[in-house]
Amino acid sequence: MAKKNLNIGLIGYGFMGRAHSNAFRQTSRFFDVPYEPVLKAVCARNPERVKSFAEKWGYESIETDWRKLVARKDIDLIDIASPNDTHAEIAVAAAKAGKMVLCEKPLGRDGNEAKAMTDAAESAKIPNMVWYNYRRVPAVTLLKNLLDEGRFGKIFHYRAKFLQDWTISQDLPQGGEGLWRLDVAVAGSGVTGDLLAHTIDTALWLNGPINEVVAMTETFIKQRKHNLTGRVEPVGIDDASAFLARFQNGSLATFEATRYARGHKALYTLEINGEHASALWDLHDLHRIQYFDHRDEGKLRGWRSVHITDADHPYMKHWWVPGLQIGYEHSFTHQFADFLQAVGEGKAAAPTFRDALATDQVTDAVLKSAKTRQWEAVPHSKANQVA
Ligand code: SOE
């Protein structure tokens, strides 16, 4: 039977526009999904550049005003891959227009924006999902499965870091294309909303809700030239952010993110220590987990390095033969495949807007605690209470 087409309208053509487009193109070639994604239109302000992006990726048409795209009758799904300050307005309008909405992370610049987006999506009853892609790295999904099987026993510790080094130079401007992540008005925050948000999303998924946090942040470079105004302006983002957390399951956690860890480009690592077992994952070696199980026979007990490429590992049977690994971009393809499957079955695909709202509520509490220098409680959304 012929599949139903799903007409996609993408907004934004930067790094994430490419990552999402690649997923749209690959999904139905490798996964047996109930819809055929059609790259119907791409939208961005610069007509020449959006045209060239459309030609390169095979989008059928272009728009330069997102409102026109949202109003188009031939678009089923709006994908928001534009900077953070555009997410809320577009998502709310798209939900009201009855479109399915996908949004790049973080959902909002803060919990208030994320709440408005969640309310709009839920009252319009439209399928919605946020691109926290690292959940769909097969090794991370395997960790989730192992935790759900109860192999770790009671969890005592969760430890996560996301380290980069690309903003150390004083000469790096803030603002404008490619550098909006340094402009607080556009990004909402620095590494807290950008990198810690990833670690928090994974942590809430793997280890359940966070009750309270105590944090510290630092802005190492206080002033930078702003590319849009041409003036040297104060820097409003956090360059580094670290926090302690208590999870609802009683475990303790440490989280750290920075763009000032010389030599580290995207070192996202996480570790879980339970009563029976521990596990470690590292984005730079993304197809492995290190796993230790105390119940192994004593004389052979030790850390196992598991290469996640077998057909019985999550997602892997859809790719090559055992032993051949996949990479970063595949996590987006997995997420989109899961989304299409869920839409076909009339189910929600996680992380939904409500799940991502829970992450924004943790990042809000982190930023608040860094100011008050006190422990701050995390308001519990519904998703934050569901494991
Ligand atoms: C920042 O450099 C960044 O591109 C994030 O915005 C992405 O979400 C992360 O996956 C990689 O790093």
mmCIF file of all heavy atoms in Angstrom, residues 345-367:
data_model
loop_
_atom_site.group_PDB
_atom_site.id
_atom_site.type_symbol
_atom_site.label_atom_id
_atom_site.label_comp_id
_atom_site.label_asym_id
_atom_site.label_seq_id
_atom_site.Cartn_x
_atom_site.Cartn_y
_atom_site.Cartn_z
ATOM 1 N N GLU A 345 0.714 5.541 14.973
ATOM 2 C CA GLU A 345 -0.034 4.773 15.986
ATOM 3 C C GLU A 345 -0.878 5.677 16.879
ATOM 4 O O GLU A 345 -1.466 5.218 17.863
ATOM 5 C CB GLU A 345 0.961 3.982 16.864
ATOM 6 C CG GLU A 345 1.669 2.882 16.103
ATOM 7 C CD GLU A 345 2.849 2.291 16.886
ATOM 8 O OE1 GLU A 345 3.002 2.608 18.088
ATOM 9 O OE2 GLU A 345 3.603 1.527 16.283
ATOM 10 N N GLY A 346 -0.878 6.983 16.590
ATOM 11 C CA GLY A 346 -1.656 7.924 17.400
ATOM 12 C C GLY A 346 -1.092 8.113 18.807
ATOM 13 O O GLY A 346 -1.799 8.450 19.749
ATOM 14 N N LYS A 347 0.241 7.900 18.923
ATOM 15 C CA LYS A 347 0.878 8.045 20.244
ATOM 16 C C LYS A 347 1.791 9.269 20.264
ATOM 17 O O LYS A 347 2.126 9.815 19.212
ATOM 18 C CB LYS A 347 1.729 6.816 20.539
ATOM 19 C CG LYS A 347 0.931 5.535 20.701
ATOM 20 C CD LYS A 347 1.886 4.423 21.073
ATOM 21 C CE LYS A 347 1.141 3.112 21.203
ATOM 22 N NZ LYS A 347 2.005 1.979 20.923
ATOM 23 N N ALA A 348 2.253 9.642 21.479
ATOM 24 C CA ALA A 348 3.202 10.749 21.598
ATOM 25 C C ALA A 348 4.617 10.218 21.408
ATOM 26 O O ALA A 348 4.909 9.085 21.778
ATOM 27 C CB ALA A 348 3.083 11.381 22.970
ATOM 28 N N ALA A 349 5.485 11.032 20.803
ATOM 29 C CA ALA A 349 6.893 10.654 20.655
ATOM 30 C C ALA A 349 7.717 11.506 21.607
ATOM 31 O O ALA A 349 7.665 12.733 21.557
ATOM 32 C CB ALA A 349 7.349 10.876 19.216
ATOM 33 N N ALA A 350 8.487 10.852 22.457
ATOM 34 C CA ALA A 350 9.288 11.578 23.448
ATOM 35 C C ALA A 350 10.647 11.977 22.858
ATOM 36 O O ALA A 350 11.152 11.280 21.991
ATOM 37 C CB ALA A 350 9.507 10.691 24.662
ATOM 38 N N PRO A 351 11.237 13.066 23.333
ATOM 39 C CA PRO A 351 10.689 13.975 24.314
ATOM 40 C C PRO A 351 9.668 14.927 23.687
ATOM 41 O O PRO A 351 9.964 15.620 22.719
ATOM 42 C CB PRO A 351 11.900 14.740 24.831
ATOM 43 C CG PRO A 351 12.938 14.614 23.762
ATOM 44 C CD PRO A 351 12.646 13.363 23.002
ATOM 45 N N THR A 352 8.484 14.930 24.294
ATOM 46 C CA THR A 352 7.437 15.862 23.875
ATOM 47 C C THR A 352 7.770 17.265 24.389
ATOM 48 O O THR A 352 8.706 17.443 25.173
ATOM 49 C CB THR A 352 6.096 15.445 24.489
ATOM 50 O OG1 THR A 352 6.274 15.483 25.919
ATOM 51 C CG2 THR A 352 5.668 14.051 24.063
ATOM 52 N N PHE A 353 6.953 18.238 23.997
ATOM 53 C CA PHE A 353 7.130 19.599 24.541
ATOM 54 C C PHE A 353 7.059 19.550 26.067
ATOM 55 O O PHE A 353 7.805 20.233 26.763
ATOM 56 C CB PHE A 353 6.047 20.539 23.999
ATOM 57 C CG PHE A 353 6.336 21.072 22.607
ATOM 58 C CD1 PHE A 353 7.249 20.456 21.773
ATOM 59 C CD2 PHE A 353 5.673 22.209 22.146
ATOM 60 C CE1 PHE A 353 7.508 20.949 20.491
ATOM 61 C CE2 PHE A 353 5.930 22.720 20.873
ATOM 62 C CZ PHE A 353 6.844 22.091 20.047
ATOM 63 N N ARG A 354 6.145 18.709 26.596
ATOM 64 C CA ARG A 354 6.007 18.653 28.062
ATOM 65 C C ARG A 354 7.272 18.088 28.705
ATOM 66 O O ARG A 354 7.714 18.563 29.745
ATOM 67 C CB ARG A 354 4.772 17.847 28.464
ATOM 68 C CG ARG A 354 4.537 17.834 29.960
ATOM 69 C CD ARG A 354 3.113 17.559 30.332
ATOM 70 N NE ARG A 354 2.226 18.665 30.026
ATOM 71 C CZ ARG A 354 2.062 19.741 30.797
ATOM 72 N NH1 ARG A 354 2.723 19.873 31.928
ATOM 73 N NH2 ARG A 354 1.233 20.704 30.442
ATOM 74 N N ASP A 355 7.867 17.085 28.078
ATOM 75 C CA ASP A 355 9.139 16.551 28.607
ATOM 76 C C ASP A 355 10.223 17.631 28.570
ATOM 77 O O ASP A 355 11.018 17.755 29.502
ATOM 78 C CB ASP A 355 9.622 15.353 27.759
ATOM 79 C CG ASP A 355 8.658 14.178 27.781
ATOM 80 O OD1 ASP A 355 8.049 13.921 28.835
ATOM 81 O OD2 ASP A 355 8.515 13.503 26.733
ATOM 82 N N ALA A 356 10.262 18.387 27.472
ATOM 83 C CA ALA A 356 11.304 19.412 27.319
ATOM 84 C C ALA A 356 11.047 20.608 28.236
ATOM 85 O O ALA A 356 11.988 21.300 28.641
ATOM 86 C CB ALA A 356 11.386 19.860 25.867
ATOM 87 N N LEU A 357 9.773 20.834 28.579
ATOM 88 C CA LEU A 357 9.446 21.863 29.576
ATOM 89 C C LEU A 357 10.103 21.490 30.909
ATOM 90 O O LEU A 357 10.635 22.358 31.617
ATOM 91 C CB LEU A 357 7.909 21.967 29.712
ATOM 92 C CG LEU A 357 7.369 22.690 30.933
ATOM 93 C CD1 LEU A 357 7.806 24.158 30.950
ATOM 94 C CD2 LEU A 357 5.818 22.622 30.964
ATOM 95 N N ALA A 358 10.080 20.208 31.245
ATOM 96 C CA ALA A 358 10.700 19.762 32.505
ATOM 97 C C ALA A 358 12.198 20.105 32.508
ATOM 98 O O ALA A 358 12.745 20.525 33.530
ATOM 99 C CB ALA A 358 10.496 18.262 32.689
ATOM 100 N N THR A 359 12.852 19.962 31.366
ATOM 101 C CA THR A 359 14.279 20.325 31.278
ATOM 102 C C THR A 359 14.462 21.825 31.468
ATOM 103 O O THR A 359 15.349 22.275 32.201
ATOM 104 C CB THR A 359 14.853 19.856 29.919
ATOM 105 O OG1 THR A 359 14.817 18.432 29.903
ATOM 106 C CG2 THR A 359 16.267 20.326 29.703
ATOM 107 N N ASP A 360 13.600 22.632 30.825
ATOM 108 C CA ASP A 360 13.696 24.090 30.990
ATOM 109 C C ASP A 360 13.458 24.494 32.451
ATOM 110 O O ASP A 360 14.037 25.471 32.941
ATOM 111 C CB ASP A 360 12.681 24.809 30.090
ATOM 112 C CG ASP A 360 13.251 25.089 28.699
ATOM 113 O OD1 ASP A 360 14.290 24.512 28.346
ATOM 114 O OD2 ASP A 360 12.651 25.894 27.958
ATOM 115 N N GLN A 361 12.618 23.730 33.144
ATOM 116 C CA GLN A 361 12.377 24.063 34.552
ATOM 117 C C GLN A 361 13.612 23.767 35.402
ATOM 118 O O GLN A 361 13.897 24.486 36.358
ATOM 119 C CB GLN A 361 11.160 23.288 35.072
ATOM 120 C CG GLN A 361 9.867 23.841 34.482
ATOM 121 C CD GLN A 361 8.640 23.042 34.873
ATOM 122 O OE1 GLN A 361 8.723 21.828 35.082
ATOM 123 N NE2 GLN A 361 7.511 23.712 34.965
ATOM 124 N N VAL A 362 14.362 22.734 35.020
ATOM 125 C CA VAL A 362 15.608 22.464 35.752
ATOM 126 C C VAL A 362 16.639 23.557 35.425
ATOM 127 O O VAL A 362 17.289 24.093 36.331
ATOM 128 C CB VAL A 362 16.173 21.063 35.434
ATOM 129 C CG1 VAL A 362 17.513 20.851 36.141
ATOM 130 C CG2 VAL A 362 15.188 19.967 35.843
ATOM 131 N N THR A 363 16.754 23.942 34.147
ATOM 132 C CA THR A 363 17.757 24.974 33.810
ATOM 133 C C THR A 363 17.387 26.315 34.463
ATOM 134 O O THR A 363 18.259 27.045 34.909
ATOM 135 C CB THR A 363 17.970 25.128 32.287
ATOM 136 O OG1 THR A 363 16.721 25.359 31.640
ATOM 137 C CG2 THR A 363 18.619 23.909 31.686
ATOM 138 N N ASP A 364 16.090 26.613 34.558
ATOM 139 C CA ASP A 364 15.671 27.828 35.280
ATOM 140 C C ASP A 364 16.143 27.773 36.735
ATOM 141 O O ASP A 364 16.645 28.758 37.286
ATOM 142 C CB ASP A 364 14.137 27.956 35.298
ATOM 143 C CG ASP A 364 13.569 28.542 34.007
ATOM 144 O OD1 ASP A 364 14.359 28.844 33.091
ATOM 145 O OD2 ASP A 364 12.329 28.691 33.929
ATOM 146 N N ALA A 365 15.944 26.609 37.362
ATOM 147 C CA ALA A 365 16.332 26.462 38.777
ATOM 148 C C ALA A 365 17.848 26.581 38.930
ATOM 149 O O ALA A 365 18.341 27.173 39.905
ATOM 150 C CB ALA A 365 15.836 25.124 39.323
ATOM 151 N N VAL A 366 18.602 26.059 37.957
ATOM 152 C CA VAL A 366 20.070 26.149 37.992
ATOM 153 C C VAL A 366 20.499 27.625 37.933
ATOM 154 O O VAL A 366 21.310 28.099 38.739
ATOM 155 C CB VAL A 366 20.687 25.345 36.811
ATOM 156 C CG1 VAL A 366 22.148 25.692 36.588
ATOM 157 C CG2 VAL A 366 20.510 23.841 37.055
ATOM 158 N N LEU A 367 19.914 28.370 36.983
ATOM 159 C CA LEU A 367 20.300 29.779 36.821
ATOM 160 C C LEU A 367 19.871 30.607 38.041
ATOM 161 O O LEU A 367 20.579 31.513 38.478
ATOM 162 C CB LEU A 367 19.698 30.345 35.530
ATOM 163 C CG LEU A 367 20.279 29.702 34.250
ATOM 164 C CD1 LEU A 367 19.450 30.074 33.021
ATOM 165 C CD2 LEU A 367 21.743 30.111 34.040
#
